[in-house]
Amino acid sequence: MTEGLEKAHQALKSRPDPRYVVLLTDGAPNNRNSATRAAKAICSDGIELITIGTTGADSEFLKTLACSEENSLFAQSGQIVGTFSRIAQVISDTHGSGSSSDDPPKKGGWL
């Protein structure tokens, strides 16, 4: 988990907003401390981190990784496609070409 978060962070940290990392996981990292540090680095750089836990995930731990509790979701195996579709729709609605606001979106809790 840590390696994936770090790679995503490196790929996105110098890009312009909007920037999102969507983490789909069983919520059981090899090292909770390093995963938490990587997640905090992502959030502190203004990148939205959304966590999606699958069956057996530690939802409380995933809430600590996401940039806000609202950005932490749980999906049964049959709901994963729908959950990703929901995230894509919210991002599209928020940052799509049809957006009428010139104000930057508020970070955190966008789902």
Side-chain angles (χ1 to χ4, degrees), residues 1-84:
M1 182 182 294
T2 301
E3 183 179 352
L5 290 171
E6 288 173 344
K7 284 183 178 184
H9 186 211
Q10 290 300 313
L12 294 172
K13 72 179 184 177
S14 61
R15 300 236 182 209
D17 283 338
R19 300 171 298 163
Y20 298 92
V21 173
V22 179
L23 174 66
L24 175 65
T25 180
D26 62 4
N30 292 336
N31 185 319
R32 284 179 173 250
N33 291 334
S34 66
T36 299
R37 279 192 303 275
K40 298 303 177 202
I42 288 170
C43 296
S44 70
D45 276 346
I47 302 167
E48 286 293 321
L49 175 57
I50 299 101
T51 60
I52 303 173
T54 59
T55 303
D58 180 345
S59 61
E60 292 304 312
F61 174 66
L62 293 180
K63 285 179 186 177
T64 68
L65 295 183
C67 294
S68 69
E69 283 191 28
E70 294 85 8
N71 287 359
S72 183
L73 307 168
F74 179 82
Q76 299 288 344
S77 59
Q79 299 172 328
I80 293 171
V81 171
T83 301
F84 272 105

